[in-house]
Amino acid sequence: VTAPMPGKVLSISANPGQAVKKGETILVFEAMKMENSVVAPEDGTVASIVVAVGDSFEAGATLASLN
């Protein structure tokens, strides 16, 4: 799961090993003073979350991976 735009992680809703459904929020980030959600693109299991709360990232950065 990649970042659609640069931002800063505000909260993480999913944990590695957790099953997620398509459209379920994985994390929330701030970009341009707005909160945005990163959602699961498909049903699966969270393999890893590669950012932490407070981390900044660029567009296209990998934020999480699903199995």
Side-chain angles (χ1 to χ4, degrees):
V1 180
T2 58
M5 64 187 84
K8 182 178 180 180
V9 179
L10 295 178
S11 66
I12 299 174
S13 306
N15 297 307
Q18 179 179 333
V20 291
K21 298 282 187 191
K22 181 178 180 176
E24 189 173 337
T25 299
I26 296 174
L27 60 88
V28 176
F29 69 97
E30 179 186 20
M32 299 181 290
K33 306 274 187 210
M34 295 179 62
E35 289 188 10
N36 301 280
S37 296
V38 172
V39 299
E42 59 193 28
D43 292 355
T45 302
V46 177
S48 65
I49 304 286
V50 296
V51 292
V53 173
D55 285 358
S56 294
F57 53 83
E58 296 297 323
T62 299
L63 304 175
S65 61
L66 300 178
N67 285 338

